[in-house]
Amino acid sequence: MTDSNMPVYTYKDFASDQEVRWCPGCDDYVVLKSIQKALPQMGRRKEEFVFISGIGCSSRFPYYVDTYGMHGIHGRAAAIATGVKLANRELSVWVASGDGDSLAIGGNHFIHLIRRNIDINLILFNNEIYGLTKGQFSPTSLMGQKTKSSPYGNIQPPFHPGELAIGSSSRFFARVPGGNTKMQQAVFIEAEKFKGTSIVEVLQNCVIFNDGAFDKYTDRAVKDDAQLYVEHGKPMIFGKNSDKGIVLDGLKLKVVTIGEDGVTEDDILVHDAKEKDTTLHLMLARLHMPVVTGIIRAVEEKTYDELCTERIEQMKSQAKFKSVNELFASGETYEVK
Amino acid sequence: MTDSNMPVYTYKDFASDQEVRWCPGCDDYVVLKSIQKALPQMGRRKEEFVFISGIGCSSRFPYYVDTYGMHGIHGRAAAIATGVKLANRELSVWVASGDGDSLAIGGNHFIHLIRRNIDINLILFNNEIYGLTKGQFSPTSLMGQKTKSSPYGNIQPPFHPGELAIGSSSRFFARVPGGNTKMQQAVFIEAEKFKGTSIVEVLQNCVIFNDGAFDKYTDRAVKDDAQLYVEHGKPMIFGKNSDKGIVLDGLKLKVVTIGEDGVTEDDILVHDAKEKDTTLHLMLARLHMPVVTGIIRAVEEKTYDELCTERIEQMKSQAKFKSVNELFASGETYEVK
Amino acid sequence: MTQENSSLDKQSVKDVVIRFVGDSGDGMQLTGTQFSTTSALLGNDIATFPNYPSEIRAPQGTIYGVSGFQVHIGESAIHTPGDDVDVLVAMNPAALKVNINAVQPGKTIIVDSDSFTSKNIEKAGYKENPLITGELDSFVVIEAPITTLTREAIKDVGLNKKAMDRSKNMFALGMVYWMFTRPLNHTIEFFKKKFSNKPMVIEANIKALKAGYNFAQTLELMPSPLVVLPAKMRPGTYRIINGNTATAWGFLAAAEKSGLDLYLGSYPITPATDILHELVKHLQFGVKAFQAEDEIAGISSTIGASFAGKLAITTTSGPGLALKSEALGLAVMTELPIVVVNVQRGGPSTGLPTKTEQSDLLQALYGRNGESPAIVIAASTPENCFDYAFEASKLALEHMTPVILLTDGYIANGSAPWKIKKVEDMPDITHRQITADDVEGEFEPYSRDKDTLARPWAIPGTPGLEHRIGGLEKADITGNVSMDPRNHEHMTKLRQAKVDKVADSIPDLKVEGAQEGDLLVVGWGGTFGSMFTAVNSMHEEGKSIGLAHFNYINPMPKNVEDVFSKFKKIIVCELNNGQFHTVLNAKFPKFEYMKYNKIQGLPFSVLDLINKFNQILDNK
Amino acid sequence: MTQENSSLDKQSVKDVVIRFVGDSGDGMQLTGTQFSTTSALLGNDIATFPNYPSEIRAPQGTIYGVSGFQVHIGESAIHTPGDDVDVLVAMNPAALKVNINAVQPGKTIIVDSDSFTSKNIEKAGYKENPLITGELDSFVVIEAPITTLTREAIKDVGLNKKAMDRSKNMFALGMVYWMFTRPLNHTIEFFKKKFSNKPMVIEANIKALKAGYNFAQTLELMPSPLVVLPAKMRPGTYRIINGNTATAWGFLAAAEKSGLDLYLGSYPITPATDILHELVKHLQFGVKAFQAEDEIAGISSTIGASFAGKLAITTTSGPGLALKSEALGLAVMTELPIVVVNVQRGGPSTGLPTKTEQSDLLQALYGRNGESPAIVIAASTPENCFDYAFEASKLALEHMTPVILLTDGYIANGSAPWKIKKVEDMPDITHRQITADDVEGEFEPYSRDKDTLARPWAIPGTPGLEHRIGGLEKADITGNVSMDPRNHEHMTKLRQAKVDKVADSIPDLKVEGAQEGDLLVVGWGGTFGSMFTAVNSMHEEGKSIGLAHFNYINPMPKNVEDVFSKFKKIIVCELNNGQFHTVLNAKFPKFEYMKYNKIQGLPFSVLDLINKFNQILDNK
Ligand SMILES: Cc1ncc(C[n+]2csc(CCOP(=O)(O)OP(=O)(O)O)c2C)c(N)n1
Ligand SMILES: Cc1ncc(C[n+]2csc(CCOP(=O)(O)OP(=O)(O)O)c2C)c(N)n1
Ligand code: SF4
Ligand code: SF4
Ligand SMILES: [Mg+2]
Ligand SMILES: [Mg+2]
């Protein structure tokens, strides 16, 4: 895969000839740009990338990336991508999918993809709404949220994608704000490097049907205090003045201010994304003020696609029948003259 | 529902006229007996119980319980039961379903049932195998497990039902050994009392295709040391001599011996099934030696079926149109003479 | 009514088709609806059809962001939104470009000349300004600087420019009101009510509307304004309704009539979602409207709710019906009453999700494993969606079987006047719920009503009738699981016979136009409007042509062969590749059928139909 | 061959049907297989059919725990496992009870008289011991105390009683071997190989086998042992194969022939699971066998694997096909080559999951939203499952379209001799994968091969051919998303034409028996054996009857009308309620079709067919 003849790409090489048709102001534009900028940094040839999606606004993604792509059917992107990756491990397989696509109709494929740990990167465009069908509540919509299908307020409690993913044995889970292309690029590159299923939840603003859903985290005025960007090996410090931090208080996380109550930087938890035990990662995924962004968990294990290939190789050397003709002619046969 | 004319039932009242057809020695018999013994203790009339299942050995369950029942289609029991409960909240709705039925094809309905918190009791017959189709690996089969569809050993990492359930916001999760009818009865009665989705995982031995899967926990010789039965408000003590206990060691659970290293009974964690925070419940669900049985989590919240009914009642008093005729005649209408 | 032009120099026309087109943000749907309602209030018959872009909010001025609303008004019965547009109102070059093909030479085009900037012209894909190239010479083009005039008219209201431009559509509407002698009062009232707490918005829109009206009058846009006289409609109270709302209301009526609560288990999908949207508004009628995680959960929960005694329905479109097919088989086997509404759209796969088509017929009939018969009926107009939703419920509840109701994107989104019905006036629905008192001896869940072959409906909670059902083959009468070979054959035929028997309780197939003769036109479902218009006009011209339009597809009315045998030729017309043609050949192979199909995501053109039929008649 | 009874007093019979029945634990499948293989090695043609209970391990001695294995051997070509049983070997009363109806008076029944204890008799549902009530008087009943004799024969081996009783079946087999002059050596070798590390098991079974043989000889169970002479089969090397294994192997051959790896995405379901079981054993051929979380993931992953360049297949049965229908539409729209194997079982819904039926035909043809044509072919014998799996792969890969291959529980589980094929001898498969070198100018993913209308297959990883496909309607040639009305009509017809064109490359419909005349019998798929046997025997008697059996259903061979027009009457015979009858009426309405259907989860009885056909011929 590393190759001295590797062409040098720019983001333009990954822009297809199709006109982008999201609503003006939609965060999907930002994610598209982030991908187009991140792909050239992945040390792969353009034809090795495959983008698979389901149905939804966000699922139009593959049309706009000039690589191989399939705009599948609603909810099945993870399952289609599974086939692509199992068929050819050399490909870099990406899934672009909405909260409806991956957590409503596609919920089963989502959790099974994660359980199997197939080396696929899934971008979860979580706008807490069904965009394409014009504004019904989704499985991540909040209680009380008024939508076309909940005119008096939603009464179905939401999934928390991070908890669901880690509950399905997620080995890589990250969260990024919809408008932050820098962070998106960095995280996408890490997701690609990571061997295993990488889930990247994008807090994606839908300007039409759920505008401002994440303002409490992403508004310029509050974002420094409302977001904790975690990096492996670094202390969990945040805040406009970088003076806030996270400490463990029994079995709960607590926000403290460095310099107050005798708290020093050394007291602050250091992020260990590679810890196998999920306890702390779940606490981070659950935290809501600040909300945790960046790579929360990244614990490598052998992937299913790798095990699959190994098994085939192993069988090639062990198997009794080396050719199908041998198989057909094996066991109890008899001659008719 | 409490009623002075309530008939006094015995387990025989809940035995249907259909001959039970599981393999001799199958744990499903034990669960059936436990249900038949628990139902009379629930203070409900026989006709109020509904058992819904999918397809699988365990899904034959409804045929054997003399109440209302439906043997549905594979994987859809939770969704069918959802309709039953939403249609009539007065019913006590039960789902009997296998690890394939609920975690493979039915995975999506399983997690959405839990997320919505509909007041349904789901018995998950986890035998870590597909029984009815004669022995393929299931989503809970262990790595390396040899089955008809994994003759060289399974390479798909398993789900952990407790983690998946709690990751889907489970409010009630319990685990019981397949052979322990006492514990099953007690837990089923609690599950029925609990308002919300109750998941009861049964470690169910399949004598034909996965015999002994849980012996390491349930074998007479080891079971006291290998099982920790938790009860709300009681210390987590176990062991043949009731001298082992669980303490918190940082963010991990540790087994200690009372009387050794200065450990006293007071050091042992006291089980709080009603704690909202999931951290400790997840640690308990994950623990594998000892395995935790009993009710691990039981945190009541308003159920979806209740919210649904409340909303209807509220609309009845608020709504502009009190009858459909009024609705039809509302807004812009005009006369043709 | 404003008095200015109620003079005598008005010219009367029989019917008129107007299409308002512009950017998604230009308010074309509102404009069209206002024109429709005002016309309906004048007593015209109307039919409308909206045409949304599939993008949610495309960039301004682009081709794919064009939104449209077509309305057809007439002094006699109107059955389609119209083929050819008499007046096209285009708010920008892209809207003109996309819609010009629908306008025949000689007809009128109104454009906002302000919008023909070079940037917009380019975005629309024109090389040059079409207003000056001469390419519109064959049309009557009215160039009005609508943007400027609107801004001018409302400059004192105090809105900013962006907000001011939102009233452009009312200026345009004012112009059209003048052209067709419509009064302004309905629209003025509408704004007063709708924006009661936004006085500036009210003022701006009313001013723009009047300015447009006066502009048209001043410039005498037409030699004289036109009048469309009131239609001769049956007396009564009317409202304008679209097919999806009518469908939702039909179920509300059926629930009330049957004395059961309505349960809806559904997953959103275009173009069916509006039925869900409508029903979630009316929980006060005891409606349980459950938005499920997917279509399979939608129908599975519906089966559960039916088991528990509700009038239980599920709504979807093509791909969703495919997903529901396994569970539909469970409803067939358990003989539970459910209704599945399928609002058809263009396929296969995701296909043309916002376009209309009739290509799910064979799926509805045959898309299940095993011998799995279900009742299939189809609505044929926006307003009779009400009746067929009611009828679907009645058939399901009385015959204890799933019913598939087919509508399509065209009638679901199209509107027409609906003579308001009262629940009292609807036929009775007698569901089959029983209690232990109704049972002698042992309860037999698979015993049968002699006439309908329907089984009894014993719902959970009923003392003494505890029983188990499921998807495995059932023994006759007891309903126990049975693997007995002869029982299986018996039950397979019984399930078929039960559906066949529905033919006893449905109306005969009616023929419109000639009752016998040269050509019988056969159609089904949502194409009624265009087919009736074509056949009727030919019949009025004295042609020997009749129309047999099907609403009942499985089973079919008993007199089909009778009807077919009275004509020399039969042509089956469908918006698909010939699915009903296949069904008729299979069922009544003794007739010869021609076929005429259109697979463009669009309704039939009346003119095309007439041409086709004339051709056949001429060849006789 | 053992020499004892190769004397000259042997009587020769043409063919014989033997059914071994007992508890699930009695080893009847093994017994039957041994008899089959031994007979095949003697040169007989054979056909076998196992019959498992649907319970995994029912309690001993119960009716629903009875397991059976039927084998039909003959000196000429054998096409079915046989209607009527010549020799029934029943290991207990329940087995007798369940199977007695398959035995005609005069035929032989062997029972283990030791098993007729009052407890077992009661469990079987007999009021009294059928061996003494006289109800078996019309049969030749051989009562042998098999349990006692077996225990006696192997008492010195050192097994406990339970283990000893496991050899009962070999005692019974020994008896039958004597009756039909079969040698013991094959079975002896089998045990030696299979249980090489369990010498006691080997010894016990061989002793029991010999004891049974000697017992029969000593008591002279029959006036003289019978001989079934070798069949005149085409020379070559044979093996016995069942339909599911043959299907799996057909795909292995197609993968090797096409130079592609095989991908299977599947979810277990009876009776299709054995194809998965077989393929997971042979990963060394590069097979990626993926057990998915459900049927939808099974086919979706298959579509993904096809996109990525594999020979990609998915296997299922009826309810699973229903679940796959939406995704099948995606394969139609993206024009990707996949094969869907549907092993039909009794429906609707869960139906009769372990029984055979042909009732998924209409689902296969029409069970998708929109106009969604796919190739549909059907295998007709256990052994030609190999050929049609191969053919399905070839058609998919060469025509770039999904193919549905229909088999059924009867041929999937039934076995027959298969003349072993070599990959070299199979036809070439030319898939349509391309590289940039094959492309001039811009790459056009929806350009077409002139002859087949297939599009090119550019797989991810190929430099320069990056492109996007999906479920929305595609523009001709470019493959871009297109909502254009005329393009949609064009593409809909093009997809149909592409499937229709397959007719150019499939063989003509063959007629067996009379090539013209009074009665043409029409069938399709797994009923070939019984239908051919019936027609052939009537034709040999000089009746004017022919058989046209279809393997290609969509499209059909080109000469169908030709064939049909040569007969006075046509009867369509199916194991369903008339689905192919419906298809033929729709497609060729000018012929009149009678129909004959059986919906019992069972194959046709040859005798019933003959009676039916004679009745028609006599009425002419
Ligand atoms: C089988 C099927 N069911 C339903 C739909 C309709 N549908 C398309 S996208 C969508 C949900 C979109 O929401 P999400 O996945 O969150 O994506 P977003 O548009 O918000 O990016 C639905 C319900 C469909 N296309 N196919
Ligand atoms: C749609 C569909 N797919 C597949 C099947 C086949 N099937 C029946 S039960 C089953 C799995 C059974 O496993 P589990 O749910 O764990 O139940 P168990 O038999 O182990 O109790 C499968 C794959 C089916 N009946 N329907
Ligand atoms: S509807 Fe929302 S999610 Fe969809 S494109 Fe528009 S802004 Fe984005
Ligand atoms: S196969 Fe296993 S799970 Fe099924 S009945 Fe037998 S022992 Fe129980
Ligand atoms: Mg969304
Ligand atoms: Mg299981």
Side-chain angles (χ1 to χ4, degrees), chain B residues 98-100 125 127-131:
Chain B
D99 44 323
F125 292 76
N127 55 10
E128 301 185 350
I129 197 83
Y130 294 167

Side-chain angles (χ1 to χ4, degrees), chain A residues 58 98-101 125-132 138 140 204:
Chain A
S58 40
D99 45 324
D101 200 56
F125 292 76
N126 184 8
N127 55 8
E128 302 186 351
I129 197 81
Y130 294 167
L132 190 72
S138 90
T140 55
Q204 179 239 320

Side-chain angles (χ1 to χ4, degrees), chain A residues 21-29 56-58 127 129-132 134 204-210, chain C residues 56-57:
Chain A
R21 296 192 180 181
W22 289 303
C23 305
C26 178
D27 271 349
D28 290 358
Y29 284 97
C57 293
S58 40
N127 55 8
I129 197 81
Y130 294 167
L132 190 72
K134 307 199 174 163
Q204 179 239 320
N205 191 40
C206 166
V207 290
I208 304 297
F209 297 113
N210 198 16
Chain C
I56 304 300
R57 198 78 30 112

Side-chain angles (χ1 to χ4, degrees), chain B residues 16-18 46-50 52 60 62-74 76 79-84 86-89 91 105 108-110 112-113 115-116 118 304 308-309 311-312 315-316 319-325 327-337, chain C residues 37 40-41 186 233-240 249 252-253 256 263 281-294 296-297 300-301 303-305 307-308 310 326-327 330 336 386 417-418 420-424 458-463 465-472 480-481:
Chain B
S16 80
D17 60 353
Q18 299 294 300
K46 162 174 178 169
E47 64 269 16
E48 292 171 15
F49 292 103
V50 184
I52 306 287
R60 298 195 159 216
Y63 289 125
Y64 308 137
V65 189
D66 191 19
T67 63
Y68 286 92
M70 193 192 303
H71 182 215
I73 43 179
H74 194 34
R76 316 305 170 191
I80 297 171
T82 294
V84 173
L86 294 183
N88 183 356
R89 283 193 71 212
L91 302 171
I105 190 168
N108 208 25
H109 313 306
F110 179 79
H112 281 270
L113 170 66
R115 164 174 83 83
R116 294 194 185 102
I118 303 178
Y304 175 70
C308 223
T309 309
R311 182 56 59 73
I312 290 178
M315 290 300 297
K316 279 189 177 157
K320 211 160 125 198
F321 312 114
K322 302 290 179 201
S323 74
V324 299
N325 282 343
L327 169 67
F328 298 169
S330 68
E332 295 189 319
T333 64
Y334 58 95
E335 285 286 316
V336 172
K337 300 262 164 56
Chain C
T37 316
L41 292 171
H186 165 73
M233 295 174 77
R234 278 189 301 146
T237 310
Y238 284 77
R239 65 180 306 131
I240 296 173
W249 289 10
L252 288 177
E256 182 151 329
Y263 177 94
K281 286 191 216 148
H282 304 298
L283 307 183
Q284 71 271 18
F285 304 132
V287 178
K288 305 254 166 93
F290 172 61
Q291 182 178 310
E293 58 272 29
D294 62 16
I296 300 177
S300 297
S301 76
I303 290 171
F307 183 50
K310 302 287 149 183
E326 191 207 3
L330 178 64
L336 285 170
F386 180 89
W418 175 57
I420 297 171
K421 295 203 172 158
K422 293 216 171 93
V423 174
E424 305 82 278
I459 69 170
T462 315
L465 302 186
E466 294 84 358
H467 67 286
R468 275 75 45 200
I469 57 178
L472 285 165
N480 286 335
V481 171

Side-chain angles (χ1 to χ4, degrees), chain D residues 108-300:
Chain D
T108 301
I109 298 175
I110 301 179
V111 296
D112 176 5
S113 53
D114 290 334
S115 72
F116 283 69
T117 62
S118 52
K119 200 172 130 208
N120 279 344
I121 288 167
E122 193 197 327
K123 269 198 211 163
Y126 281 114
K127 298 241 166 61
E128 286 181 67
N129 187 342
L131 301 181
I132 56 179
T133 56
E135 61 195 87
L136 303 178
D137 282 357
S138 58
F139 305 99
V140 179
V141 180
I142 299 172
E143 295 180 34
I146 294 178
T147 310
T148 334
L149 292 173
T150 304
R151 287 184 194 161
E152 181 60 30
I154 65 177
K155 64 173 187 287
D156 299 334
V157 177
L159 294 168
N160 64 25
K161 218 155 89 180
K162 210 171 146 190
M164 286 207 282
D165 285 354
R166 286 211 197 96
S167 298
K168 282 189 303 192
N169 57 340
M170 286 303 117
F171 190 96
L173 182 62
M175 291 170 67
V176 183
Y177 274 173
W178 180 83
M179 289 171 71
F180 295 100
T181 335
R182 316 272 102 172
L184 308 183
N185 56 346
H186 164 73
T187 300
I188 291 171
E189 286 314 309
F190 167 83
F191 277 105
K192 286 191 179 154
K193 217 147 110 194
K194 176 95 180 187
F195 296 97
S196 58
N197 49 3
K198 291 186 181 159
M200 291 211 298
V201 173
I202 300 176
E203 191 187 341
N205 280 297
I206 295 178
K207 279 194 165 157
L209 183 73
K210 289 189 172 166
Y213 190 95
N214 294 332
F215 171 76
Q217 186 173 37
T218 312
L219 292 202
E220 296 227 324
L221 284 189
M222 291 193 149
S224 74
L226 299 174
V227 165
V228 181
L229 295 176
K232 277 153 239 102
M233 294 173 77
R234 278 188 302 147
T237 309
Y238 283 78
R239 64 181 306 132
I240 296 171
I241 201 164
N242 69 38
N244 273 338
T245 305
T247 303
W249 288 10
F251 288 118
L252 289 178
E256 181 151 330
K257 196 78 195 187
S258 64
L260 301 174
D261 283 342
L262 183 63
Y263 178 93
L264 167 68
S266 184
Y267 187 72
I269 186 166
T270 305
T273 321
D274 283 335
I275 305 174
L276 167 68
H277 293 167
E278 179 60 23
L279 287 174
V280 291
K281 285 191 216 149
H282 304 298
L283 307 183
Q284 71 271 17
F285 304 133
V287 178
K288 305 254 165 94
F290 172 62
Q291 183 178 310
E293 57 271 31
D294 61 16
E295 282 85 353
I296 300 177
I299 188 171
S300 297

Side-chain angles (χ1 to χ4, degrees), chain B residues 29-100:
Chain B
Y29 284 98
V30 181
V31 181
L32 175 61
K33 187 61 101 195
S34 301
I35 278 289
Q36 286 167 338
K37 289 193 163 169
L39 295 187
Q41 303 175 56
M42 292 182 185
R44 279 182 172 270
R45 293 174 168 275
K46 162 174 178 169
E47 64 269 16
E48 292 171 15
F49 292 103
V50 184
F51 279 79
I52 306 287
S53 67
I55 302 285
C57 293
S58 40
S59 287
R60 298 195 159 216
F61 204 89
Y63 289 125
Y64 308 137
V65 189
D66 191 19
T67 63
Y68 286 92
M70 193 192 303
H71 182 215
I73 43 179
H74 194 34
R76 316 305 170 191
I80 297 171
T82 294
V84 173
K85 185 72 185 184
L86 294 183
N88 183 356
R89 283 193 71 212
E90 299 305 314
L91 302 171
S92 171
V93 180
W94 293 75
V95 171
S97 175
D99 44 323

Side-chain angles (χ1 to χ4, degrees), chain C residues 76-194:
Chain C
S76 57
I78 288 292
H79 297 281
T80 79
D83 291 2
D84 294 326
V85 172
D86 296 305
V87 179
L88 177 72
V89 180
M91 302 301 283
N92 68 19
L96 178 68
K97 172 94 182 201
V98 171
N99 290 283
I100 186 76
N101 285 337
V103 190
Q104 296 295 324
K107 303 291 181 173
T108 302
I109 298 176
I110 301 178
V111 296
D112 176 5
S113 53
D114 291 334
S115 72
F116 283 68
T117 62
S118 51
K119 199 171 132 210
N120 279 344
I121 288 167
E122 193 197 328
K123 266 198 215 164
Y126 281 114
K127 298 240 168 61
E128 287 181 68
N129 187 342
L131 301 181
I132 55 178
T133 55
E135 63 196 86
L136 304 178
D137 282 357
S138 59
F139 305 98
V140 179
V141 180
I142 301 172
E143 295 180 35
I146 295 179
T147 309
T148 334
L149 293 173
T150 304
R151 287 186 196 160
E152 181 59 30
I154 65 177
K155 63 173 187 288
D156 300 333
V157 177
L159 294 168
N160 64 24
K161 218 154 88 179
K162 210 170 147 191
M164 286 205 286
D165 285 354
R166 285 212 196 94
S167 296
K168 281 189 304 192
N169 58 339
M170 286 302 117
F171 190 96
L173 181 61
M175 291 171 66
V176 183
Y177 273 174
W178 180 82
M179 290 171 70
F180 295 99
T181 336
R182 315 273 102 173
L184 309 182
N185 56 345
H186 165 73
T187 300
I188 291 171
E189 287 312 311
F190 167 83
F191 277 105
K192 287 190 178 154
K193 215 148 110 194
K194 177 94 179 188

